[in-house]
Amino acid sequence: MDCIFCKISKKEIKSEIIFEDDLTICFKDLNPVAPIHFLIIPKIHIASTSEINEKNSDVLARIFGNISKIALKFCHNGYRVVSNTGVNAGQSVMHMHFHILAGRELDWPPG
Ligand code: DGP
């Protein structure tokens, strides 16, 4: 499958890896919008949060467990986790990913 994030998880495309385990990989976003801007993804191809179901939700628990560990190390004044799902939400890569944003005050509501 011609998916950029599948290629990143298989190390076919280089990225700045922050954390990795058997199910997930976290790397720096190519176009950061905050001083800390990481993406965490499942290694298996899941297109978006709308494809989460009872058969694959184990990876979601792992992703959020890993976000906690990553945040302890890098996000000392709070952080935001965002997953854009679908065209209107601005999803540009069709492999589920969670943005981890930190290092500055984050506006609310988002645009
Ligand atoms: P979204 O718009 O929510 O689908 O976010 C996709 C993010 O992925 C966007 O912030 C830029 C990032 N991105 C796209 N291609 C690459 C890449 O090849 N490497 C890295 N590190 N990030 C990428």
Side-chain angles (χ1 to χ4, degrees):
M1 181 184 292
D2 194 28
C3 167
I4 294 173
F5 287 179
C6 284
K7 288 181 178 165
I8 285 178
S9 80
K10 289 184 222 151
K11 320 281 168 56
E12 292 168 9
I13 292 179
K14 202 168 182 299
S15 67
E16 284 190 66
I17 296 170
I18 299 299
F19 178 89
E20 180 176 11
D21 64 14
D22 56 328
L23 296 182
T24 73
I25 183 165
C26 177
F27 50 93
K28 289 190 183 178
D29 193 290
L30 197 60
N31 303 312
V33 298
I36 302 285
H37 188 169
F38 303 150
L39 299 171
I40 185 164
I41 67 170
K43 287 187 171 177
I44 56 161
H45 187 85
I46 298 174
S48 75
T49 58
S50 60
E51 288 196 359
I52 292 290
N53 55 49
E54 64 280 358
K55 288 191 185 132
N56 63 16
S57 57
D58 56 330
V59 78
L60 202 56
R62 184 74 73 82
I63 282 172
F64 275 84
N66 288 341
I67 288 173
S68 296
K69 290 182 196 161
I70 292 160
L72 264 181
K73 195 165 172 193
F74 294 98
C75 312
H76 303 298
N77 290 309
Y79 61 96
R80 183 172 294 163
V81 179
V82 176
S83 189
N84 298 322
T85 300
V87 175
N88 274 0
Q91 185 179 5
S92 61
V93 179
M94 297 302 156
H95 181 128
M96 183 176 74
H97 51 281
F98 294 85
H99 298 258
I100 303 169
L101 300 160
R104 66 169 170 82
E105 272 190 44
L106 298 166
D107 294 335
W108 190 263

